[in-house]
Amino acid sequence: MNGEELTEQETALYDRQIRVWGADAQRRLSKSHILVYGMKGTVAEFCKNIVLAGVGSVTLVDDREVTEEALSANFLILPDENLYHGKTLAEVCCDSLKEFNPMVHVSVEKGDISTFGVEFFGKFDAVVISCCSLAKKKLINQKCRKLSKRVAFYTVDCRGSCGEIFVDLKDYKYSKKKLEETVECQLEFPSFEDTISVPWKALPKRVSKLYFAMRVIEQFEDAEGRNPGETSIADLPGVLKLRKELCETNSVNESQIPDALLERLLMDTSEYPPVCAIIGGILGQEVIKAISGKGDPLKNFFFFDAMDGKGLLEDISEPKPVS
């Protein structure tokens, strides 16, 4: 959208949500550009949500081919092989997303996202990545942070019945309603690398066990040169060994990372559609809040485990010095 005002067509199409978050928020959404990498089931849910919400454009990056595993969780891939044969995951998902809202420009960018220059990420208001190695998460987050403009950065991972979202909004200003007045607020977000570098012993005692378990699996895959999700129960001895080393280094009891939880994360590497819907819904909500500048953002981790049905927010940051 080139103009400052919503068109008559946009106002009619987005009437219900304009009543929820106002015309100004919808204008910001309609001018926003979102970059998405890694077209898994959770990300498909997220894309559907933001396209229906009416963002300006969505650019998809994923050169992988369609697999049986992708078909099981990604509803954007139609089950007719003739419709996706010879196409990348991004191209197949792009075709489907265009049908949800013709007013949103959906396109595909080909190539290895880790080789894209800093200026490429400056074209977007939010960057969402999935299916990424530890090194790639750090690299892309660093590139977004080097920009003079604020680019909201998110990572999302879903393993079986568990999922996590990480958020980095840098220095973020927003407004929220408190009683009958609107209050201006400000939050400082640490980078992904700074966040996971916080010593475990410095964290509150009741931090989600999923936070620690996901970091162990992440580091195991990184050390073994594996792609995300390329694990099995056969890797349990190596993962338990790494858990022991990390817990000793961080002066944390190994009971904080139960064997049963690690086993689930190793075995359930594919996504569960109901969990995808929940994580993708939360992620869509957070990106909309960041773009519109309305409502308290998630800072800076969200965890969900379908085994107990709980969603937990965790602020993992360097403890502030006591004055």
Side-chain angles (χ1 to χ4, degrees):
M1 189 182 76
N2 296 320
E4 288 298 317
E5 298 298 322
L6 293 169
T7 65
E8 187 176 333
Q9 186 181 6
E10 287 171 324
T11 303
L13 180 62
Y14 304 128
D15 175 65
R16 289 187 179 183
Q17 54 207 50
I18 288 173
R19 297 184 193 193
V20 174
W21 52 57
D24 181 56
Q26 189 63 49
R27 276 194 296 270
R28 293 185 189 184
L29 276 177
S30 298
K31 291 190 293 180
S32 66
H33 305 288
I34 316 298
L35 176 68
V36 180
Y37 173 81
M39 295 308 300
K40 295 191 75 177
T42 307
V43 174
E45 289 281 355
F46 160 72
C47 288
K48 176 256 297 179
N49 292 334
I50 60 168
V51 165
L52 290 175
V55 296
S57 73
V58 178
T59 302
L60 309 179
V61 185
D62 197 328
D63 293 342
R64 295 176 300 167
E65 296 180 352
V66 177
T67 62
E68 286 295 324
E69 182 184 344
L71 278 167
S72 67
N74 188 335
F75 66 89
L76 295 176
I77 306 171
L78 300 176
D80 183 353
E81 187 177 348
N82 293 322
L83 296 175
Y84 63 77
H85 182 70
K87 292 184 176 182
T88 66
L89 267 172
E91 289 170 333
V92 174
C93 293
C94 178
D95 292 342
S96 296
L97 281 170
K98 286 178 178 178
E99 297 182 14
F100 280 90
N101 188 347
M103 297 188 72
V104 176
H105 180 67
V106 186
S107 62
V108 171
E109 185 78 29
K110 289 194 173 184
D112 179 358
I113 194 171
S114 62
T115 66
F116 296 172
V118 172
E119 65 284 350
F120 172 80
F121 296 96
K123 297 186 290 185
F124 303 96
D125 299 288
V127 172
V128 175
I129 63 172
S130 183
C131 320
C132 281
S133 65
L134 179 60
K136 191 174 285 188
K137 290 177 185 177
K138 292 178 181 178
L139 178 64
I140 297 172
N141 187 208
Q142 287 169 359
K143 289 182 178 182
C144 292
R145 281 188 149 254
K146 285 180 180 177
L147 294 160
S148 55
K149 65 177 278 191
R150 180 181 63 80
V151 175
F153 173 83
Y154 303 82
T155 70
V156 58
D157 289 293
C158 187
R159 291 171 180 262
S161 59
C162 300
E164 77 168 16
I165 297 169
F166 168 78
V167 182
D168 175 16
L169 303 181
K170 292 174 70 174
D171 188 11
Y172 180 62
K173 297 176 182 178
Y174 64 102
S175 61
K176 68 175 181 178
K177 284 193 173 182
K178 193 172 183 181
L179 298 177
E180 296 300 315
E181 59 181 357
T182 300
V183 180
E184 298 300 318
C185 306
Q186 185 170 346
L187 284 174
E188 288 187 16
F189 286 71
S191 69
F192 179 72
E193 185 167 9
D194 287 345
T195 299
I196 63 171
S197 297
V198 175
W200 290 358
K201 61 184 177 182
L203 299 175
K205 291 182 179 179
R206 295 182 66 84
V207 166
S208 169
K209 289 179 170 57
L210 253 181
Y211 171 74
F212 298 114
M214 293 291 269
R215 304 289 73 78
V216 172
I217 299 293
E218 195 173 57
Q219 289 196 37
F220 176 80
E221 290 174 341
D222 186 58
E224 294 290 317
R226 310 269 187 91
N227 289 321
E230 286 185 355
T231 56
S232 69
I233 194 63
D235 294 312
L236 186 60
V239 169
L240 293 179
K241 181 174 180 289
L242 179 59
R243 177 190 65 179
K244 186 174 188 298
E245 293 169 358
L246 290 172
C247 286
E248 287 177 352
T249 301
N250 287 280
S251 303
V252 169
N253 195 300
E254 287 184 54
S255 63
Q256 278 289 96
I257 318 172
D259 291 12
L261 179 55
L262 289 173
E263 288 175 18
R264 283 169 52 207
L265 293 175
L266 287 173
M267 293 172 63
D268 298 336
T269 53
S270 25
E271 298 173 296
Y272 291 177
V275 177
C276 293
I278 293 169
I279 303 291
I282 297 290
L283 182 57
Q285 171 184 289
E286 289 306 313
V287 170
I288 289 169
K289 282 196 286 187
I291 292 170
S292 66
K294 291 193 173 184
D296 287 311
L298 187 161
K299 183 175 185 287
N300 52 351
F301 268 103
F302 172 79
F303 298 97
F304 179 76
D305 189 343
M307 293 293 283
D308 59 18
K310 289 181 180 178
L312 297 174
L313 299 178
E314 297 286 3
D315 184 351
I316 310 292
S317 308
E318 244 346 311
K320 293 182 180 179
V322 179
S323 55

